[in-house]
Every structure is written in structure tokens, then in C-alpha cells.
Amino acid sequence: MKFRVERDALADAVAWTAKSLPSRPSVPVLAGVLLRVADGRLQVSSFDYEVSSQVTVEVQADADGATLVSGRLLAEITKSLPAKPVDVAAVGSHVEITCGSARFTLPTMPVEDYPSLPEMPESAGAVDAALFAKAVSQVAVAAGRDDTLPMLTGVRIELEGTKLTLLATDRYRLAVRELMWHPDEPDMSVAALVPARTLDDTAKTLGPLGGNVSVALSRGKLGDGMIGFAGGSRRTTSRLLEGDFPKVRALLPDTHNAQARVPVAALNEVVRRVGLVAERQTPVRLSFSADGLVVEASGSEDARASEAMDCQYEGEPMTIAFNHQYLLDGLKALDAPIAVLSFTDPKKPAVMSPAKDDGEIVPGYWYLIMPVRIGS
């Protein structure tokens, strides 16, 4: 195997592929990325039996072939190379990388020991890449990080006709995003539970490429199948998570007793300032009234902070407390100038929705956050 390729193209391909490599591989070859050259194209691949990633890059090929090298080391090397064409050649049990006057020789691993990458599942449809990336980022923030509850570490994708819904929860908050997509079958009705980190990383990478992201899904029982995403020259597959995702839609209230409209940027700054005195598990209190909003927090050794700000509020005066980091995560996820907070009771979940400058709610996104019990 021997080829020449532009530095940026190689570095980007290796970096994205190496990102999904396991930190503690069960066998050494799973820490490698596979470089395969054929028909003037280089395929850079990784696979750990859970997630596969593959990028295709145009190269000047002198000899076809394949080699397997340490993915993280190759990513570090290609990122640091000078901005010149890169020559890569497999020589015996090593691979030689030359860029300008820089030269690296890396040991290789047996290609025959590397597992075959899974085929892409059956196509289900396509969705706008940039819209999908934004939607995933809005929902993945609410996914759990406790591996003892694997079903909560995923994002549930529901495909119902032309509507695609993303849901995630860690039991303390819930994010729901609805958007339109282009199904291959107009009467499609299927769901999948995808690891949140894999989905978020994939969407972030495919979003800037523009165009559409192809969604492919095996139609087996939930938890037994595989999902795939492809955009541009990149494709990734992931095994679906097992377990039943909780029935969370019932948590979204149909009505509210009070509602506030607050500028997102201003509330974000106030919560960050006041939260400086709060310990990790200490909530911030939000007191709403016709006079506006007061944000308060307290910490150890009698440390306290409070700040008042303007807001539009409808309803009886109310004081409610939230984990301040969850609140900040929700404000960031709204991606809108105005946050609409809807309440039914200080002891029940509140719902945050994005709104335009005139206060009109932008439909399609809900961030539900559980309150923290506070003393009277």
C-alpha cells in the first residue's frame, strides 16, 4: 500500500474515525484504524463491535492494499504534520509517513485479525444535516451518564410518517424535539434507542457537511438491531441499546397555571453569577412575581447571592428551585432569544420552551426540568 494525500483531508478523516475508538479495547487490534486503498480512494475505518466509523478520501494511489495502525497515535501525528502533501507507505511490518522533512515509522497490527465492518442497515429516509445536528444537541444534553441504567444513556428516535422525534431523560430532566424528515415509506412507524454520545458525535460531524443525512435502520426488535447514518463521504453504524425507554410523554403537562418569559442571555448570566456561591448539589431559587424575577442561591459558611431582573410573568407569585447546571443546560439548548417557563406547581416539573423576540413560542422543543425541594 502506497499513496499521497492532502494533510487536512487525512487528519480530518483519522481524527473523526479515531474518536469512536474504545479507551480500553478488549483486544489490541480494536485500538487501531484500518487504512485501505483501492481504486484511487482511501478508506479510514474503525470498529469496536458496538460502533463503526468509515471515511472515504480521494488519494493519489501508487499501490493498493491495507494496513492497521494505532488510531490515537496516528490522529496525533497527522494533526501535527506541516501543511504539505503526506506520503504513506506500508513497508513490511511498519508504515512510513512522510510530510516535508518530517518522517514517522509506526508498527502495524495484523489486518487479518481486524473484524469486518458491518454493512449499513436498510435505508429508512433522510433528514436535513444541519437541522438534525441542532436537534440532537438539544436533546442529548438531557441523556443520562449512569452506565448502570443503560436505557437512560440513549436518545430514543421515533419515526412516525414525516415526523422524527428525539427524546432523552436522566430522570431529573427531559428533552423532546420534533422535526420533519423525508421517510422512504410514508406510513413508517418505528423506534430506536441510540447511545447519546455516539449520536451526538455523529450529528456534529455530519451537520457542517450540509445536504441531507441518510438514516438507515434494521427493522428487528428494539435493542437487537442497528442504526446507521451517512453524509458526504462519511458513514457510521451503532448497535441499539437494550431495555425499555420510560414512557415520558405523560410528564409534559397539557396546561399551566403560571408562565414567565425571560431573555435567555440575561437569565444565563444571572444564574451563572448567583450560582458561584452554590455548591454542586445546591439549587438556585427563582422567585417570580408581577415585579419581575429574583434569583437566589446559598452555599457553605453562610455564603449567599441574589440578583433581580426583569421578566414578563403571568400567574400567582411563585418560588421554585432548580439544579443550576440543569437550568443552564436548558437555556443553552433552547437556542432562542427568549425562554418561556411554564409552571403548574412549585413541586412539579417546569417546562422550558424557546420563543422569538416577540415572545411567540417556537414549536417543536420542550425541556422539562424537575424542581428541587426547598424549605418554606
Side-chain angles (χ1 to χ4, degrees):
M1 183 196 75
K2 186 176 182 181
F3 64 90
R4 168 172 283 199
V5 62
E6 291 299 319
R7 192 284 305 263
D8 289 348
L10 179 63
D12 288 347
V14 173
W16 182 67
T17 307
K19 184 181 290 188
S20 60
L21 291 173
S23 55
R24 294 191 178 112
S26 55
V27 289
V29 292
L30 297 184
V33 294
L34 181 66
L35 307 179
R36 185 181 299 277
V37 176
D39 302 323
R41 290 185 176 88
L42 166 68
Q43 284 187 340
V44 185
S45 311
S46 67
F47 182 41
D48 65 354
Y49 293 107
E50 297 287 334
V51 178
S52 77
S53 301
Q54 188 176 86
V55 190
T56 303
V57 181
E58 298 287 336
V59 298
Q60 298 177 25
D62 291 333
D64 292 350
T67 191
L68 182 66
V69 295
S70 168
R72 289 196 165 87
L73 178 57
L74 184 62
E76 289 294 327
I77 290 173
T78 54
K79 181 175 66 174
S80 66
L81 291 175
K84 296 179 180 179
V86 182
D87 291 301
V88 180
V91 181
S93 61
H94 293 79
V95 63
E96 295 182 354
I97 302 171
T98 305
C99 183
S101 59
R103 182 184 297 272
F104 294 85
T105 300
L106 305 181
T108 59
M109 293 177 277
V111 173
E112 59 272 16
D113 291 348
Y114 198 72
S116 299
L117 265 68
E119 296 294 327
M120 282 287 281
E122 181 182 352
S123 175
V127 61
D128 180 87
L131 181 62
F132 185 63
K134 176 182 173 183
V136 169
S137 69
Q138 289 179 300
V139 171
V141 67
R145 292 165 179 80
D146 184 357
D147 290 332
T148 63
L149 296 169
M151 76 290 293
L152 297 184
T153 64
V155 173
R156 179 176 169 89
I157 301 179
E158 297 179 350
L159 307 174
E160 295 285 343
T162 58
K163 184 169 72 173
L164 186 157
T165 305
L166 304 169
L167 307 96
T169 182
D170 60 3
R171 296 183 297 172
Y172 305 105
R173 53 207 171 145
L174 162 68
V176 181
R177 179 73 163 91
E178 294 179 348
L179 61 155
M180 305 303 291
W181 80 308
H182 308 287
D184 290 345
E185 301 173 9
D187 58 348
M188 178 176 293
S189 179
V190 67
L193 188 55
V194 187
R197 181 180 173 185
T198 299
L199 182 63
D200 196 28
D201 287 344
T202 300
K204 283 179 181 176
T205 302
L206 299 181
L209 300 179
N212 287 333
V213 171
S214 297
V215 181
L217 187 66
S218 61
R219 307 302 174 88
K221 181 181 176 183
L222 180 62
D224 293 341
M226 179 179 292
I227 194 166
F229 302 95
S233 61
R234 305 186 180 201
R235 51 152 277 193
T236 189
T237 66
S238 172
R239 286 185 60 182
L240 302 180
L241 291 172
E242 297 182 359
D244 294 327
F245 193 75
K247 294 177 171 56
V248 295
R249 288 182 180 272
L251 296 175
L252 292 172
D254 296 325
T255 60
H256 60 269
N257 298 326
Q259 195 171 70
R261 283 172 166 77
V262 192
V264 168
L267 181 57
N268 182 73
E269 289 184 11
V270 170
V271 172
R272 285 188 182 279
R273 273 196 295 271
V274 172
L276 291 174
V277 302
E279 296 175 345
R280 184 170 184 179
Q281 298 301 326
T282 305
V284 292
R285 296 188 187 202
L286 281 69
S287 298
F288 295 91
S289 68
D291 297 328
L293 167 62
V294 177
V295 182
E296 302 171 276
S298 58
S300 60
E301 300 181 1
D302 295 328
R304 289 185 175 85
S306 67
E307 186 168 345
M309 60 179 294
D310 294 332
C311 79
Q312 297 178 21
Y313 181 69
E314 300 172 358
E316 294 296 319
M318 180 182 295
T319 297
I320 190 168
F322 300 114
N323 176 301
H324 72 281
Q325 189 56 56
Y326 293 169
L327 182 58
L328 291 172
D329 288 345
L331 291 172
K332 181 179 179 181
L334 291 179
D335 193 30
I338 303 294
V340 178
L341 289 85
S342 301
F343 312 100
T344 55
D345 185 275
K347 297 178 182 178
K348 294 184 178 179
V351 178
M352 296 172 57
S353 303
K356 302 175 183 177
D357 286 312
D358 60 5
E360 179 185 355
I361 293 178
V362 179
Y365 182 65
W366 302 267
Y367 184 89
L368 180 144
I369 179 170
M370 296 291 291
V372 178
R373 189 181 293 268
I374 54 177
S376 57

